[in-house]
Amino acid sequence: QVQLQESAPGLVKPSQTLSLTCIVSGGSISSGYYYWSWIRQHPGKGLEWIGYIYHSGNSYYNPSLKSRVTLSVDTSKNQFSLKLSSVTAADTAVYYCARAMVRGIAVDSWGQGTLVTVSS
Amino acid sequence: QSVLTQPPSVSGAPGQRVTISCTGSSSNIGAGYDVHWYQQFPGTAPKLLIYANNNRPSGVPERFSGSKSGTSASLAITGLQAEDEADYYCQSYDSSLSASLFGGGTKLTVL
């Protein structure tokens, strides 16, 4: 059973870069069947895709965030990462890392989520 | 305003059948892209409930089913139980946005 665990920066200052890492256990990030994903949820709101990345490094981004997002994958450490630049209070959210099936992009495994607050 | 439109709330009494709709367009559901459904309880991560329109992952009760027609999809829950009270989200891919996206979510209340 694959497990995903987000790192927890907690508080980020406005205009800085939010950095999160997701450690994958119980399964290989090099599996060709999955995309490795980031999804966020603003307090009391719905789910928002940030983007997803394949083990080869090919990545796909939400157009509304594309200019500020960088995804990366480290197969040697079985982990993947998110960087979101120039954050504002509007980026305060629970951030989930997740595994999505390549076929259809259904998310079948989720991390527990980590709340990131943007505040000075 | 989400590209995939869901009713903000639905309700039903225990034992009843409820449906949650997810309305899209010709660039997502109508283009043939799969629809998936998730269940989320407060303070927890979502859980995959239905994938590829009408498939249940192992462990999901048969009371949950999905369907798709034209530019819309639906999640049906039969034999409603108190424990089904949660938020439900649909998800699909949109070719005009070149992105996967979620519906706005529906809060199910069990009366």
Side-chain angles (χ1 to χ4, degrees):
Chain A
Q1 181 80 353
V2 70
Q3 293 188 324
L4 300 98
Q5 178 66 57
E6 305 91 351
S7 60
L11 185 66
V12 182
K13 295 186 186 307
S15 78
Q16 290 189 342
T17 296
L18 179 163
S19 296
L20 287 173
T21 295
C22 183
I23 298 172
V24 179
S25 58
S28 174
I29 204 168
S30 296
S31 167
Y33 295 105
Y34 301 105
Y35 289 123
W36 304 96
S37 312
W38 291 97
I39 295 161
R40 70 180 183 179
Q41 187 168 32
H42 294 100
K45 301 297 183 183
L47 300 167
E48 179 183 30
W49 274 100
I50 298 172
Y52 46 94
I53 188 166
Y54 198 53
H55 66 85
S56 62
N58 288 343
S59 54
Y60 306 86
Y61 301 109
N62 182 330
S64 68
L65 297 170
K66 186 175 184 177
S67 63
R68 299 194 292 128
V69 173
T70 301
L71 301 185
S72 60
V73 61
D74 187 336
T75 55
S76 67
K77 295 182 179 179
N78 221 39
Q79 63 186 40
F80 60 105
S81 299
L82 161 71
K83 291 188 185 298
L84 180 65
S85 63
S86 306
V87 297
T88 69
D91 294 308
T92 293
V94 173
Y95 286 76
Y96 294 100
C97 64
R99 185 182 79 172
M101 299 182 236
V102 167
R103 181 177 176 182
I105 322 178
V107 180
D108 68 346
S109 295
W110 298 72
Q112 65 184 21
T114 186
L115 175 62
V116 178
T117 302
V118 179
S119 173
S120 56
Chain B
Q1 185 76 6
S2 299
V3 173
L4 300 178
T5 301
Q6 298 181 234
S9 63
V10 298
S11 62
Q16 284 189 333
R17 178 181 187 269
V18 297
T19 60
I20 298 172
S21 61
C22 176
T23 302
S25 68
S26 58
S27 61
N28 41 69
I29 300 174
Y33 292 106
D34 286 339
V35 178
H36 320 297
W37 291 91
Y38 301 87
Q39 177 189 57
Q40 185 181 33
F41 297 106
T44 68
K47 168 190 168 184
L48 181 64
L49 205 58
I50 298 287
Y51 68 96
N53 309 313
N54 54 15
N55 296 278
R56 282 186 307 277
S58 175
V60 173
E62 292 182 5
R63 304 186 296 106
F64 295 91
S65 63
S67 63
K68 188 178 90 166
S69 178
T71 58
S72 294
S74 291
L75 172 70
I77 309 172
T78 58
L80 200 60
Q81 300 179 3
E83 66 200 49
D84 299 331
E85 189 163 289
D87 294 324
Y88 293 83
Y89 295 90
C90 63
Q91 178 217 336
S92 188
Y93 183 85
D94 190 283
S95 58
S96 65
L97 297 173
S98 296
S100 189
L101 37 79
F102 293 97
T106 299
K107 181 174 180 60
L108 169 63
T109 300
V110 180
L111 301 171

